[in-house]
Amino acid sequence: MKPDLLSLLRIDLPIIQAPMAGVSTAALAAAVSEAGALGSISVGAGDAQQGRAAIADVRRLTDRPFNANVFCHRPAAADAARETAWLDYLAPHFATNGAQPPATLREIYKSFVDDDDMLEVILEARPAVVSFHFGLPDARRIEALKDAGIVLLASATSVAEARQVEAAGIDAVVAQGYEAGGHRGLFDPERGDPAIGTFALTELVANAVRIPVIAAGGVMNGAGVAAAMRLGASAAQMGTAFILCPESSATKHHRVLMQAGEGVMTAVTDVVSGRPARGLVNRLFSEIGAPGHPPLPDYPIAYDAVKALNAAATKAGNSDFTVNWAGQGFPLARELPAGELVRLLGEELAQNDGTPRQA
């Protein structure tokens, strides 16, 4: 029998709000945690000082458990020729927005696998939960976090990755299906994406590991949570479902696209950041990501280029190059305060599986 995840996380509902770098906020995470689920923030897309501030911001709003997410990608290798070729490829798009591409590109944030400053901050702050995306840190870091009493989660997109998660001593695995919005949690993108759907992956992983499984991708309501749990999940992680909450930092344009209905779709591309990610299709996908583009700089160096293009286009009043991550279930998102949404999810879950798990 798998360990009881709700007891481990000290939450009332089997719901985890996904970290969503760039969209999640302290207010969102705190509201979700206060309502009895597990709120999350991302500290991976910043430095140690920003991570310390982000954790402190949540702590000011709640004393309930919450999750801090870090990125464990392979550290970027600079390649001046590849980066110059990519900037040259983007130059016409900068020009149509009245700007020049940057002269050089930067590694805009470090991987947790070699960020000792971030490790020190987390060990000092001791959030109740830490989750890993894009892979796993080394055994020394995992042991240090566990010794600090922190519960550990890690994303996996295949059974093989899930088995690595279990073997590393992680407490629970997030089975990220292909429907999920945002970055794919692939350990090694060069090997290709198995592109397994959430429900198939959840059942496969639940049958392959002894640790609790958290289903992620396309789960938008209590019926979806119940369905995932019937397939062996102990909880569901939901990101896109929370984007329309007023506590999220999603832009007005992002929210309008989410509610536009027919004609808006999602796709997976690696041209935004250098790693595959699912978002709402615009010219980043259809033009920049069209076949025949030059080789991409490493993640997250490539992201620096798109962030600069987005800034130039936005300044020119053009929303065609915005980054709007979302999963395939985005039309089902509801515009509710986060606490109300969590309570509604709990009610829907009870209606679908008969278990009174409301906070």
Side-chain angles (χ1 to χ4, degrees):
M1 182 178 293
K2 299 181 192 294
D4 180 49
L5 184 65
L6 299 193
S7 297
L8 187 66
L9 298 176
R10 293 184 287 125
I11 57 177
D12 304 315
L13 293 165
I15 295 164
I16 299 170
Q17 167 246 317
M20 298 185 293
V23 173
S24 63
T25 64
L28 177 61
V32 169
S33 290
E34 284 289 308
L38 185 70
S40 302
I41 55 168
S42 173
V43 298
D47 60 23
Q49 182 177 352
Q50 291 168 322
R52 178 181 285 108
I55 293 170
D57 285 345
V58 183
R59 281 253 168 80
R60 279 192 285 271
L61 298 173
T62 184
D63 58 3
R64 298 291 298 265
F66 64 91
N67 167 42
N69 178 255
V70 295
F71 301 155
C72 295
H73 55 282
R74 181 181 61 239
D79 184 325
R82 192 155 34 115
E83 291 154 21
T84 297
W86 186 242
L87 288 171
D88 288 345
Y89 174 72
L90 296 179
H93 296 289
F94 277 94
T96 58
N97 287 285
Q100 293 289 327
T104 58
L105 295 175
R106 304 167 296 115
E107 182 180 10
I108 54 177
Y109 38 77
K110 295 178 68 174
S111 171
F112 183 70
V113 302
D114 65 359
D115 192 344
D116 287 338
D117 291 338
M118 185 67 81
L119 175 62
E120 183 179 340
V121 163
I122 291 173
L123 292 175
E124 176 188 318
R126 297 195 183 194
V129 183
V130 166
S131 61
F132 306 127
H133 204 56
F134 301 139
L136 297 165
D138 60 33
R140 178 181 69 85
R141 284 175 165 76
I142 290 172
E143 184 177 1
L145 293 167
K146 289 180 75 71
D147 286 348
I150 298 170
V151 176
L152 302 181
L153 315 177
S155 298
T157 62
S158 67
V159 169
E161 290 177 353
R163 285 183 170 138
Q164 290 182 60
V165 169
E166 181 179 39
I170 307 305
D171 296 295
V173 59
V174 179
Q176 188 197 35
Y178 197 57
E179 300 95 321
H183 280 88
R184 304 281 294 136
L186 300 163
F187 285 21
D188 187 358
E190 286 74 19
R191 289 191 171 188
D193 191 335
I196 305 171
T198 300
F199 285 168
L201 182 63
T202 295
E203 192 165 14
L204 288 168
V205 171
N207 288 331
V209 302
R210 294 181 299 276
I211 58 176
V213 177
I214 300 160
V219 181
M220 299 294 294
N221 49 41
V225 178
M229 295 180 74
R230 282 193 288 270
L231 294 173
S234 296
Q237 179 170 282
M238 308 169 70
T240 303
F242 287 94
I243 291 177
L244 294 182
C245 294
E247 297 93 341
S248 97
S249 60
T251 65
K252 180 179 179 181
H253 179 68
H254 194 168
R255 295 170 188 271
V256 168
L257 287 178
M258 289 267 294
Q259 297 174 297
E262 296 294 329
V264 181
M265 65 183 69
T266 71
V268 174
T269 186
D270 58 0
V271 298
V272 172
S273 69
R275 266 185 165 264
R278 181 178 295 281
L280 300 172
V281 173
N282 58 14
R283 291 175 66 187
L284 287 174
F285 294 73
S286 60
E287 294 182 23
I288 292 175
H293 64 72
L296 290 161
D298 277 2
Y299 173 91
I301 294 174
Y303 216 165
D304 192 31
V306 165
K307 285 179 181 290
L309 176 58
N310 178 27
T314 299
K315 185 177 180 180
N318 179 4
S319 298
D320 291 345
F321 299 101
T322 53
V323 178
N324 308 287
W325 301 133
Q328 288 182 333
F330 76 90
L332 298 173
R334 293 169 285 194
E335 192 174 13
L336 292 170
E340 288 186 27
L341 178 57
V342 171
R343 285 186 282 275
L344 177 59
L345 292 169
E347 292 169 5
E348 291 171 342
L349 175 61
Q351 291 164 6
N352 279 274
D353 73 356
T355 304
R357 289 187 176 128
Q358 300 175 31

PDB file of all heavy atoms in Angstrom, residues 41 43 48 51-57 59 66 68 117-130 145 148-150:
ATOM      1  N   ILE A  41       4.414  27.857  -5.345  1.00  0.00           N
ATOM      2  CA  ILE A  41       5.089  28.944  -6.038  1.00  0.00           C
ATOM      3  C   ILE A  41       6.299  28.360  -6.754  1.00  0.00           C
ATOM      4  O   ILE A  41       6.780  27.279  -6.408  1.00  0.00           O
ATOM      5  CB  ILE A  41       5.559  30.061  -5.079  1.00  0.00           C
ATOM      6  CG1 ILE A  41       6.445  29.478  -3.962  1.00  0.00           C
ATOM      7  CG2 ILE A  41       4.373  30.818  -4.514  1.00  0.00           C
ATOM      8  CD1 ILE A  41       7.174  30.535  -3.146  1.00  0.00           C
ATOM      9  N   VAL A  43      10.234  29.012  -7.497  1.00  0.00           N
ATOM     10  CA  VAL A  43      11.439  29.800  -7.201  1.00  0.00           C
ATOM     11  C   VAL A  43      12.529  29.459  -8.203  1.00  0.00           C
ATOM     12  O   VAL A  43      13.635  29.986  -8.131  1.00  0.00           O
ATOM     13  CB  VAL A  43      11.929  29.583  -5.752  1.00  0.00           C
ATOM     14  CG1 VAL A  43      10.878  30.034  -4.759  1.00  0.00           C
ATOM     15  CG2 VAL A  43      12.317  28.138  -5.499  1.00  0.00           C
ATOM     16  N   ALA A  48      18.627  33.159  -5.716  1.00  0.00           N
ATOM     17  CA  ALA A  48      18.394  32.797  -4.320  1.00  0.00           C
ATOM     18  C   ALA A  48      17.710  33.914  -3.546  1.00  0.00           C
ATOM     19  O   ALA A  48      16.815  33.654  -2.728  1.00  0.00           O
ATOM     20  CB  ALA A  48      19.719  32.417  -3.670  1.00  0.00           C
ATOM     21  N   GLY A  51      14.169  33.897  -4.423  1.00  0.00           N
ATOM     22  CA  GLY A  51      13.538  32.730  -3.830  1.00  0.00           C
ATOM     23  C   GLY A  51      13.219  32.954  -2.368  1.00  0.00           C
ATOM     24  O   GLY A  51      12.128  32.586  -1.898  1.00  0.00           O
ATOM     25  N   ARG A  52      14.160  33.540  -1.636  1.00  0.00           N
ATOM     26  CA  ARG A  52      13.930  33.826  -0.217  1.00  0.00           C
ATOM     27  C   ARG A  52      12.729  34.765  -0.050  1.00  0.00           C
ATOM     28  O   ARG A  52      11.861  34.546   0.801  1.00  0.00           O
ATOM     29  CB  ARG A  52      15.176  34.460   0.404  1.00  0.00           C
ATOM     30  CG  ARG A  52      14.991  34.838   1.880  1.00  0.00           C
ATOM     31  CD  ARG A  52      16.216  35.490   2.471  1.00  0.00           C
ATOM     32  NE  ARG A  52      17.292  34.522   2.730  1.00  0.00           N
ATOM     33  CZ  ARG A  52      18.413  34.444   2.021  1.00  0.00           C
ATOM     34  NH1 ARG A  52      18.618  35.268   1.005  1.00  0.00           N
ATOM     35  NH2 ARG A  52      19.320  33.538   2.322  1.00  0.00           N
ATOM     36  N   ALA A  53      12.671  35.805  -0.893  1.00  0.00           N
ATOM     37  CA  ALA A  53      11.572  36.770  -0.804  1.00  0.00           C
ATOM     38  C   ALA A  53      10.234  36.119  -1.150  1.00  0.00           C
ATOM     39  O   ALA A  53       9.216  36.395  -0.510  1.00  0.00           O
ATOM     40  CB  ALA A  53      11.848  37.950  -1.733  1.00  0.00           C
ATOM     41  N   ALA A  54      10.235  35.241  -2.161  1.00  0.00           N
ATOM     42  CA  ALA A  54       8.987  34.597  -2.584  1.00  0.00           C
ATOM     43  C   ALA A  54       8.435  33.700  -1.486  1.00  0.00           C
ATOM     44  O   ALA A  54       7.222  33.695  -1.215  1.00  0.00           O
ATOM     45  CB  ALA A  54       9.232  33.793  -3.859  1.00  0.00           C
ATOM     46  N   ILE A  55       9.295  32.933  -0.838  1.00  0.00           N
ATOM     47  CA  ILE A  55       8.851  32.063   0.253  1.00  0.00           C
ATOM     48  C   ILE A  55       8.329  32.895   1.423  1.00  0.00           C
ATOM     49  O   ILE A  55       7.293  32.587   2.013  1.00  0.00           O
ATOM     50  CB  ILE A  55       9.996  31.131   0.684  1.00  0.00           C
ATOM     51  CG1 ILE A  55      10.313  30.133  -0.439  1.00  0.00           C
ATOM     52  CG2 ILE A  55       9.636  30.389   1.972  1.00  0.00           C
ATOM     53  CD1 ILE A  55      11.575  29.325  -0.219  1.00  0.00           C
ATOM     54  N   ALA A  56       9.044  33.976   1.738  1.00  0.00           N
ATOM     55  CA  ALA A  56       8.614  34.855   2.833  1.00  0.00           C
ATOM     56  C   ALA A  56       7.258  35.487   2.529  1.00  0.00           C
ATOM     57  O   ALA A  56       6.423  35.659   3.437  1.00  0.00           O
ATOM     58  CB  ALA A  56       9.659  35.933   3.076  1.00  0.00           C
ATOM     59  N   ASP A  57       7.017  35.824   1.258  1.00  0.00           N
ATOM     60  CA  ASP A  57       5.735  36.431   0.874  1.00  0.00           C
ATOM     61  C   ASP A  57       4.573  35.480   1.157  1.00  0.00           C
ATOM     62  O   ASP A  57       3.507  35.905   1.626  1.00  0.00           O
ATOM     63  CB  ASP A  57       5.753  36.800  -0.611  1.00  0.00           C
ATOM     64  CG  ASP A  57       6.585  38.040  -0.907  1.00  0.00           C
ATOM     65  OD1 ASP A  57       6.914  38.777   0.045  1.00  0.00           O
ATOM     66  OD2 ASP A  57       6.911  38.260  -2.095  1.00  0.00           O
ATOM     67  N   ARG A  59       4.623  33.017   3.367  1.00  0.00           N
ATOM     68  CA  ARG A  59       4.557  32.827   4.819  1.00  0.00           C
ATOM     69  C   ARG A  59       3.816  33.966   5.522  1.00  0.00           C
ATOM     70  O   ARG A  59       3.201  33.762   6.565  1.00  0.00           O
ATOM     71  CB  ARG A  59       5.983  32.741   5.370  1.00  0.00           C
ATOM     72  CG  ARG A  59       6.620  31.374   5.148  1.00  0.00           C
ATOM     73  CD  ARG A  59       6.704  30.594   6.452  1.00  0.00           C
ATOM     74  NE  ARG A  59       7.035  29.197   6.222  1.00  0.00           N
ATOM     75  CZ  ARG A  59       8.269  28.758   5.989  1.00  0.00           C
ATOM     76  NH1 ARG A  59       9.283  29.598   5.955  1.00  0.00           N
ATOM     77  NH2 ARG A  59       8.475  27.469   5.796  1.00  0.00           N
ATOM     78  N   PHE A  66       2.875  24.738   1.973  1.00  0.00           N
ATOM     79  CA  PHE A  66       2.882  25.105   0.555  1.00  0.00           C
ATOM     80  C   PHE A  66       4.138  24.528  -0.085  1.00  0.00           C
ATOM     81  O   PHE A  66       5.067  24.087   0.598  1.00  0.00           O
ATOM     82  CB  PHE A  66       2.785  26.621   0.348  1.00  0.00           C
ATOM     83  CG  PHE A  66       3.951  27.400   0.895  1.00  0.00           C
ATOM     84  CD1 PHE A  66       5.055  27.690   0.100  1.00  0.00           C
ATOM     85  CD2 PHE A  66       3.946  27.869   2.204  1.00  0.00           C
ATOM     86  CE1 PHE A  66       6.130  28.414   0.606  1.00  0.00           C
ATOM     87  CE2 PHE A  66       5.008  28.581   2.716  1.00  0.00           C
ATOM     88  CZ  PHE A  66       6.106  28.863   1.919  1.00  0.00           C
ATOM     89  N   ALA A  68       7.384  24.858  -2.830  1.00  0.00           N
ATOM     90  CA  ALA A  68       8.306  25.710  -3.592  1.00  0.00           C
ATOM     91  C   ALA A  68       8.960  24.841  -4.664  1.00  0.00           C
ATOM     92  O   ALA A  68       9.571  23.817  -4.358  1.00  0.00           O
ATOM     93  CB  ALA A  68       9.362  26.319  -2.673  1.00  0.00           C
ATOM     94  N   ASP A 117      23.478  28.410  -3.536  1.00  0.00           N
ATOM     95  CA  ASP A 117      22.837  29.522  -2.836  1.00  0.00           C
ATOM     96  C   ASP A 117      21.342  29.255  -2.653  1.00  0.00           C
ATOM     97  O   ASP A 117      20.774  29.515  -1.581  1.00  0.00           O
ATOM     98  CB  ASP A 117      23.042  30.830  -3.593  1.00  0.00           C
ATOM     99  CG  ASP A 117      24.488  31.308  -3.566  1.00  0.00           C
ATOM    100  OD1 ASP A 117      25.232  30.888  -2.655  1.00  0.00           O
ATOM    101  OD2 ASP A 117      24.869  32.087  -4.447  1.00  0.00           O
ATOM    102  N   MET A 118      20.689  28.726  -3.705  1.00  0.00           N
ATOM    103  CA  MET A 118      19.265  28.405  -3.591  1.00  0.00           C
ATOM    104  C   MET A 118      19.049  27.274  -2.602  1.00  0.00           C
ATOM    105  O   MET A 118      18.075  27.302  -1.815  1.00  0.00           O
ATOM    106  CB  MET A 118      18.676  28.023  -4.954  1.00  0.00           C
ATOM    107  CG  MET A 118      17.171  27.794  -4.941  1.00  0.00           C
ATOM    108  SD  MET A 118      16.213  29.302  -4.615  1.00  0.00           S
ATOM    109  CE  MET A 118      16.232  30.035  -6.272  1.00  0.00           C
ATOM    110  N   LEU A 119      19.923  26.294  -2.606  1.00  0.00           N
ATOM    111  CA  LEU A 119      19.810  25.208  -1.632  1.00  0.00           C
ATOM    112  C   LEU A 119      19.878  25.753  -0.212  1.00  0.00           C
ATOM    113  O   LEU A 119      19.074  25.375   0.652  1.00  0.00           O
ATOM    114  CB  LEU A 119      20.924  24.181  -1.861  1.00  0.00           C
ATOM    115  CG  LEU A 119      20.999  23.043  -0.835  1.00  0.00           C
ATOM    116  CD1 LEU A 119      19.732  22.202  -0.856  1.00  0.00           C
ATOM    117  CD2 LEU A 119      22.237  22.179  -1.096  1.00  0.00           C
ATOM    118  N   GLU A 120      20.805  26.669   0.030  1.00  0.00           N
ATOM    119  CA  GLU A 120      20.954  27.259   1.362  1.00  0.00           C
ATOM    120  C   GLU A 120      19.697  28.014   1.780  1.00  0.00           C
ATOM    121  O   GLU A 120      19.241  27.912   2.927  1.00  0.00           O
ATOM    122  CB  GLU A 120      22.159  28.195   1.380  1.00  0.00           C
ATOM    123  CG  GLU A 120      22.461  28.810   2.722  1.00  0.00           C
ATOM    124  CD  GLU A 120      23.684  29.709   2.697  1.00  0.00           C
ATOM    125  OE1 GLU A 120      24.509  29.575   1.778  1.00  0.00           O
ATOM    126  OE2 GLU A 120      23.792  30.559   3.605  1.00  0.00           O
ATOM    127  N   VAL A 121      19.113  28.758   0.836  1.00  0.00           N
ATOM    128  CA  VAL A 121      17.886  29.496   1.129  1.00  0.00           C
ATOM    129  C   VAL A 121      16.756  28.538   1.509  1.00  0.00           C
ATOM    130  O   VAL A 121      16.031  28.760   2.486  1.00  0.00           O
ATOM    131  CB  VAL A 121      17.477  30.352  -0.091  1.00  0.00           C
ATOM    132  CG1 VAL A 121      16.013  30.794   0.013  1.00  0.00           C
ATOM    133  CG2 VAL A 121      18.376  31.566  -0.210  1.00  0.00           C
ATOM    134  N   ILE A 122      16.604  27.461   0.747  1.00  0.00           N
ATOM    135  CA  ILE A 122      15.518  26.524   1.016  1.00  0.00           C
ATOM    136  C   ILE A 122      15.727  25.811   2.350  1.00  0.00           C
ATOM    137  O   ILE A 122      14.775  25.621   3.124  1.00  0.00           O
ATOM    138  CB  ILE A 122      15.388  25.521  -0.145  1.00  0.00           C
ATOM    139  CG1 ILE A 122      14.877  26.248  -1.400  1.00  0.00           C
ATOM    140  CG2 ILE A 122      14.450  24.379   0.219  1.00  0.00           C
ATOM    141  CD1 ILE A 122      14.863  25.402  -2.646  1.00  0.00           C
ATOM    142  N   LEU A 123      16.960  25.437   2.631  1.00  0.00           N
ATOM    143  CA  LEU A 123      17.230  24.776   3.909  1.00  0.00           C
ATOM    144  C   LEU A 123      16.982  25.713   5.084  1.00  0.00           C
ATOM    145  O   LEU A 123      16.565  25.276   6.160  1.00  0.00           O
ATOM    146  CB  LEU A 123      18.668  24.258   3.936  1.00  0.00           C
ATOM    147  CG  LEU A 123      18.977  23.102   2.984  1.00  0.00           C
ATOM    148  CD1 LEU A 123      20.458  22.759   3.028  1.00  0.00           C
ATOM    149  CD2 LEU A 123      18.137  21.878   3.325  1.00  0.00           C
ATOM    150  N   GLU A 124      17.219  26.986   4.876  1.00  0.00           N
ATOM    151  CA  GLU A 124      16.969  27.981   5.919  1.00  0.00           C
ATOM    152  C   GLU A 124      15.476  28.248   6.082  1.00  0.00           C
ATOM    153  O   GLU A 124      14.949  28.299   7.195  1.00  0.00           O
ATOM    154  CB  GLU A 124      17.703  29.276   5.571  1.00  0.00           C
ATOM    155  CG  GLU A 124      17.456  30.436   6.518  1.00  0.00           C
ATOM    156  CD  GLU A 124      18.063  31.729   5.988  1.00  0.00           C
ATOM    157  OE1 GLU A 124      19.191  31.693   5.483  1.00  0.00           O
ATOM    158  OE2 GLU A 124      17.384  32.770   6.080  1.00  0.00           O
ATOM    159  N   ALA A 125      14.765  28.386   4.951  1.00  0.00           N
ATOM    160  CA  ALA A 125      13.338  28.734   4.994  1.00  0.00           C
ATOM    161  C   ALA A 125      12.461  27.522   5.302  1.00  0.00           C
ATOM    162  O   ALA A 125      11.383  27.661   5.892  1.00  0.00           O
ATOM    163  CB  ALA A 125      12.919  29.360   3.675  1.00  0.00           C
ATOM    164  N   ARG A 126      12.877  26.360   4.871  1.00  0.00           N
ATOM    165  CA  ARG A 126      12.164  25.109   5.115  1.00  0.00           C
ATOM    166  C   ARG A 126      10.682  25.154   4.749  1.00  0.00           C
ATOM    167  O   ARG A 126       9.811  24.965   5.615  1.00  0.00           O
ATOM    168  CB  ARG A 126      12.330  24.659   6.569  1.00  0.00           C
ATOM    169  CG  ARG A 126      13.772  24.357   6.932  1.00  0.00           C
ATOM    170  CD  ARG A 126      13.888  23.588   8.226  1.00  0.00           C
ATOM    171  NE  ARG A 126      15.289  23.382   8.572  1.00  0.00           N
ATOM    172  CZ  ARG A 126      15.718  22.518   9.491  1.00  0.00           C
ATOM    173  NH1 ARG A 126      14.840  21.796  10.163  1.00  0.00           N
ATOM    174  NH2 ARG A 126      16.995  22.387   9.736  1.00  0.00           N
ATOM    175  N   PRO A 127      10.345  25.397   3.486  1.00  0.00           N
ATOM    176  CA  PRO A 127       8.947  25.226   3.090  1.00  0.00           C
ATOM    177  C   PRO A 127       8.550  23.771   3.324  1.00  0.00           C
ATOM    178  O   PRO A 127       9.400  22.873   3.307  1.00  0.00           O
ATOM    179  CB  PRO A 127       8.957  25.579   1.598  1.00  0.00           C
ATOM    180  CG  PRO A 127      10.375  25.330   1.157  1.00  0.00           C
ATOM    181  CD  PRO A 127      11.229  25.674   2.339  1.00  0.00           C
ATOM    182  N   ALA A 128       7.281  23.528   3.535  1.00  0.00           N
ATOM    183  CA  ALA A 128       6.837  22.164   3.847  1.00  0.00           C
ATOM    184  C   ALA A 128       7.132  21.196   2.709  1.00  0.00           C
ATOM    185  O   ALA A 128       7.423  20.018   2.940  1.00  0.00           O
ATOM    186  CB  ALA A 128       5.339  22.172   4.152  1.00  0.00           C
ATOM    187  N   VAL A 129       7.056  21.693   1.480  1.00  0.00           N
ATOM    188  CA  VAL A 129       7.209  20.841   0.300  1.00  0.00           C
ATOM    189  C   VAL A 129       8.124  21.533  -0.703  1.00  0.00           C
ATOM    190  O   VAL A 129       8.057  22.748  -0.885  1.00  0.00           O
ATOM    191  CB  VAL A 129       5.829  20.565  -0.365  1.00  0.00           C
ATOM    192  CG1 VAL A 129       5.975  19.620  -1.554  1.00  0.00           C
ATOM    193  CG2 VAL A 129       4.839  20.011   0.649  1.00  0.00           C
ATOM    194  N   VAL A 130       8.975  20.751  -1.353  1.00  0.00           N
ATOM    195  CA  VAL A 130       9.777  21.222  -2.482  1.00  0.00           C
ATOM    196  C   VAL A 130       9.555  20.260  -3.633  1.00  0.00           C
ATOM    197  O   VAL A 130       9.542  19.035  -3.427  1.00  0.00           O
ATOM    198  CB  VAL A 130      11.278  21.302  -2.129  1.00  0.00           C
ATOM    199  CG1 VAL A 130      12.137  21.459  -3.390  1.00  0.00           C
ATOM    200  CG2 VAL A 130      11.544  22.464  -1.181  1.00  0.00           C
ATOM    201  N   LEU A 145      17.704  18.099   1.916  1.00  0.00           N
ATOM    202  CA  LEU A 145      16.318  18.550   1.988  1.00  0.00           C
ATOM    203  C   LEU A 145      15.481  17.610   2.862  1.00  0.00           C
ATOM    204  O   LEU A 145      14.665  18.053   3.672  1.00  0.00           O
ATOM    205  CB  LEU A 145      15.731  18.650   0.586  1.00  0.00           C
ATOM    206  CG  LEU A 145      16.327  19.743  -0.313  1.00  0.00           C
ATOM    207  CD1 LEU A 145      15.893  19.546  -1.759  1.00  0.00           C
ATOM    208  CD2 LEU A 145      15.948  21.130   0.168  1.00  0.00           C
ATOM    209  N   ALA A 148      16.073  18.081   6.447  1.00  0.00           N
ATOM    210  CA  ALA A 148      15.423  19.293   6.947  1.00  0.00           C
ATOM    211  C   ALA A 148      13.926  19.093   7.159  1.00  0.00           C
ATOM    212  O   ALA A 148      13.218  20.035   7.542  1.00  0.00           O
ATOM    213  CB  ALA A 148      15.666  20.451   5.981  1.00  0.00           C
ATOM    214  N   GLY A 149      13.433  17.895   6.902  1.00  0.00           N
ATOM    215  CA  GLY A 149      12.018  17.606   7.120  1.00  0.00           C
ATOM    216  C   GLY A 149      11.106  18.041   5.995  1.00  0.00           C
ATOM    217  O   GLY A 149       9.893  18.147   6.177  1.00  0.00           O
ATOM    218  N   ILE A 150      11.684  18.292   4.819  1.00  0.00           N
ATOM    219  CA  ILE A 150      10.909  18.769   3.670  1.00  0.00           C
ATOM    220  C   ILE A 150      10.402  17.581   2.853  1.00  0.00           C
ATOM    221  O   ILE A 150      11.161  16.660   2.532  1.00  0.00           O
ATOM    222  CB  ILE A 150      11.771  19.696   2.791  1.00  0.00           C
ATOM    223  CG1 ILE A 150      12.194  20.940   3.592  1.00  0.00           C
ATOM    224  CG2 ILE A 150      11.025  20.097   1.522  1.00  0.00           C
ATOM    225  CD1 ILE A 150      13.238  21.793   2.894  1.00  0.00           C
TER     226      ILE A 150
END
